[in-house]
Amino acid sequence: MSGARVRLVSLDVGYTLGEPSGTTLTQRLVELSPLPAREAKRIAQQILHTLDPSAGTRGPQTVCTALGLTPSAFPHDHRPPAFALWPGAVDAVARIARVVPVVTVSNVSHWDERETDVAALLAPHLRAHHPSWRIGFAKPDPRAVKTVARLHDRDPAEMLHVGDSLDYDVRGALAAGAQALWITPRPPSAEALRLLAEHPGRVTVVPDLARAVRHIEQTFPSSIPSTRSTTS
């Protein structure tokens, strides 16, 4: 992996470090929408996941209109599922944090984060947790990674974003000017290979989180100070 020295690692959360224990609000809305699932998910990611809690009823109405639903279809009875870290996730974050400062950058609605404190789950290894509903941008919008870089006084080129999604994590990182570490157990598709060829040296592909940790440990010299802080 070429490029600027990596001084900050950002980790995706869902399906990179763990998974929700039930159906998320996004999944419910995608199922209700008459739009193709991939398109409905994209719309939900970009609108629902960036809504501030203070938006009130305007937020659900905006999401429903974009998804081709009547406002009354919004599942106000939604109960957010708990988020379960996968075995080894905390240790993985701890090992990365011994090499490079770590933050999380997650596409998630405030509805689904009400029952989960990601920063607490991964304490004391995180510098910060940055859900999309707080920063106002959702991957692959390059402003998500750029905003996090700015908050930590880093250039996006000094960031390495780690995640499981080609469409959201890899494309989002590349669009922001960052490097990407793509976790996928399947061989890259022809579409993915074309994208990687367009950005030589900026994307590394590994099959699992454990291999991602080893890659970071072996590739980047430690740049972390002796003390760490955790914020939420």
Side-chain angles (χ1 to χ4, degrees):
M1 181 175 286
S2 62
R5 178 188 179 191
V6 170
R7 300 177 62 204
L8 184 69
V9 168
S10 59
L11 294 171
D12 174 50
V13 178
Y15 305 103
T16 295
L17 299 177
E19 61 185 318
S21 59
T23 303
T24 66
L25 181 59
T26 299
Q27 290 167 339
R28 290 186 66 180
L29 287 167
V30 169
E31 290 172 358
L32 291 170
S33 175
L35 300 177
R38 184 171 180 174
E39 177 67 6
K41 180 182 178 182
R42 183 190 66 79
I43 291 171
Q45 292 269 6
Q46 298 307 303
I47 301 177
L48 181 74
H49 289 192
T50 59
L51 286 175
D52 187 276
S54 64
T57 59
R58 297 191 310 276
Q61 290 172 355
T62 301
V63 173
C64 285
T65 299
L67 291 175
L69 299 169
T70 62
S72 62
F74 191 87
H76 290 283
D77 62 343
H78 178 68
R79 297 176 63 87
F83 186 83
L85 291 174
W86 288 333
V90 174
D91 180 64
V93 175
R95 286 172 58 185
I96 296 172
R98 287 195 284 269
V99 179
V100 187
V102 181
V103 299
T104 47
V105 182
S106 177
N107 282 7
V108 64
S109 72
H110 70 85
W111 284 276
D112 280 317
E113 270 214 329
R114 285 181 299 183
E115 300 299 320
T116 301
D117 187 339
V118 172
L121 289 176
L122 297 171
H125 313 298
L126 286 186
R127 288 297 177 92
H129 171 52
H130 298 291
S132 55
W133 65 267
R134 281 189 187 162
I135 61 176
F137 306 107
K139 300 168 294 182
D141 188 330
R143 290 174 293 180
V145 170
K146 288 181 177 180
T147 297
V148 172
R150 177 180 54 79
L151 289 172
H152 294 273
D153 296 318
R154 297 288 185 262
D155 188 280
E158 298 176 309
M159 283 183 62
L160 172 67
H161 181 67
V162 183
D164 69 295
S165 171
L166 176 72
D167 287 339
Y168 296 97
D169 295 304
V170 177
R171 292 187 189 277
L174 292 176
Q179 301 179 54
L181 186 52
W182 181 25
I183 299 175
T184 176
R186 295 177 295 278
S189 65
E191 175 191 5
L193 290 173
R194 285 194 294 271
L195 178 66
L196 271 56
E198 293 170 1
H199 301 275
R202 291 181 58 199
V203 183
T204 297
V205 183
V206 293
D208 51 46
L209 181 61
R211 210 72 58 91
V213 173
R214 288 202 293 273
H215 171 79
I216 291 170
E217 290 176 329
Q218 294 168 4
T219 305
F220 306 113
S222 178
S223 62
I224 195 160
S226 58
T227 59
R228 303 183 181 93
S229 62
T230 301
T231 60
S232 58

